[in-house]
Amino acid sequence: MTRRQGATVLTEAGVEVARRAGSILSATHDLADCVRRTGPLLSGTLRLGVIPTLAPYVLPVLLPELHRSHPDMCLDLLETQTKTLVRALTQGELDVLLLALPLEKCELETIVLFSDRFLLAVPADDPLPERARVRTCDVNARRLLLLEEGHGLRDQALIYCGERTAEHPKLGATSLATVLQMVASGYGLTLLPEVAVDIEVRDERVKLLRFVEPQPQRNIGLAWRPTSPRKADFLELGQILLRTLKCEQSHKAELALAAHIAVAVNN
């Protein structure tokens, strides 16, 4: 460890030690899970990480159903950005993540649950009629409002709509609720995930426009360590989520097959 002005920085050797220590801790947790792997699915403690652009919209329907169907399960929850969640998962601090896929440069096992389409949220007095279908290129010359750095949704919006120019506002909000308030007040527009529509768009000052086909979207799924013995638990969690959300763009068949195989392997 070395000291610099106002900061303490790990040396190259220190970084390697920290990385190896994280691997040891995660392996220890997986070994303990393997020893305890008895009884019904989703029993014991489940440590779930969820990104902020999913948690407020998915958890209100998922948590009551989880409590009803698996009352003996203890759920520990962490809501934060993808990078922090992935680090916590690889270090054994979390069991499974619910987030946008794919993940770059991560040696994790993943499965897609559903596709979450984007809509364009604009002020109600925008000249485009609600029945209009817009193209992503139509957004390039307009004022695009974004979440702060670190949110995957921010990166996806820039990929679909292009980098903002200097005259665009430099808003970096921590929540979609704040971004939608800016839209309602006429300060710009934003890309809104379909899963967030029922909760976030209750203001008559905001209207939603669909994109032309193929509509931009993000894939939502689960991620876990390949060494975890609880794959069947995670896939059961995914099936419960799809039943509660009733998604149009779900990968239900693929998930059911994977769950069947995982249960067979465990038995």
Side-chain angles (χ1 to χ4, degrees):
M1 184 176 293
T2 59
R3 291 187 179 277
R4 298 175 183 173
Q5 278 191 330
T8 301
V9 182
L10 287 175
T11 62
E12 185 175 340
V15 171
E16 179 61 17
V17 169
R19 185 189 68 79
R20 289 176 179 266
S23 298
I24 292 171
L25 288 173
S26 65
T28 301
H29 182 77
D30 289 340
L31 180 61
D33 277 344
C34 190
V35 172
R36 292 194 297 262
R37 192 180 62 185
T38 57
L41 292 175
L42 290 178
S43 56
T45 298
L46 181 71
R47 300 173 303 168
L48 172 66
V50 190
I51 56 176
T53 55
L54 275 177
Y57 320 117
V58 170
L59 295 183
V61 293
L62 174 63
L63 296 185
E65 178 58 23
L66 271 180
H67 187 66
R68 185 197 67 78
S69 58
H70 299 278
D72 296 330
M73 185 188 74
C74 177
L75 182 67
D76 292 339
L77 184 68
L78 175 63
E79 178 189 347
T80 189
Q81 294 179 5
T82 298
K83 185 177 180 179
T84 303
L85 290 178
V86 169
R87 182 169 59 248
L89 179 64
T90 56
Q91 293 179 351
E93 299 168 8
L94 292 172
D95 298 316
V96 62
L97 308 180
L98 177 62
L99 72 183
L101 299 174
L103 297 171
E104 295 183 359
K105 301 178 182 178
C106 291
E107 295 181 357
L108 298 174
E109 191 166 349
T110 63
I111 189 167
V112 174
L113 301 179
F114 64 95
S115 297
D116 188 19
R117 295 175 295 196
F118 291 128
L119 294 90
L120 186 64
V122 301
D125 60 0
D126 188 279
L128 286 173
E130 287 191 73
R131 64 180 180 278
R133 289 283 184 132
V134 296
R135 299 169 297 173
T136 52
C137 62
D138 294 332
V139 184
N140 289 347
R142 305 168 72 97
R143 294 174 299 164
L144 185 62
L145 303 176
L146 300 168
L147 293 171
E148 65 181 353
E149 293 281 354
H151 285 278
L153 185 56
R154 174 192 179 95
D155 298 333
Q156 291 157 349
L158 289 174
I159 288 171
Y160 286 122
C161 300
E163 296 287 344
R164 293 183 300 173
T165 57
E167 64 269 15
H168 283 137
K170 302 190 186 311
L171 172 73
T174 59
S175 70
L176 284 173
T178 300
V179 174
L180 265 295
Q181 283 300 310
M182 294 290 289
V183 173
S185 299
Y187 287 100
L189 48 80
T190 195
L191 256 63
L192 185 69
E194 194 167 30
V195 72
V197 168
D198 288 344
I199 291 180
E200 296 296 356
V201 185
R202 300 175 179 176
D203 194 321
E204 294 181 354
R205 297 175 299 164
V206 176
K207 67 180 177 183
L208 299 176
L209 305 175
R210 284 273 182 198
F211 286 94
V212 298
E213 298 290 349
Q215 297 182 54
Q217 62 186 26
R218 60 177 182 171
N219 287 326
I220 302 301
L222 298 172
W224 60 91
R225 293 182 301 279
T227 55
S228 174
R230 301 186 66 183
K231 180 176 180 178
D233 283 333
F234 307 149
L235 297 178
E236 173 67 10
L237 174 68
Q239 291 190 99
I240 293 172
L241 175 60
L242 289 188
R243 287 198 299 270
T244 56
L245 283 183
K246 300 179 175 61
C247 307
E248 291 182 21
Q249 309 287 318
S250 74
H251 294 232
K252 189 179 297 183
E254 297 94 323
L255 179 61
L257 178 59
H260 177 75
I261 294 173
V263 171
V265 169
N266 282 350
N267 294 335

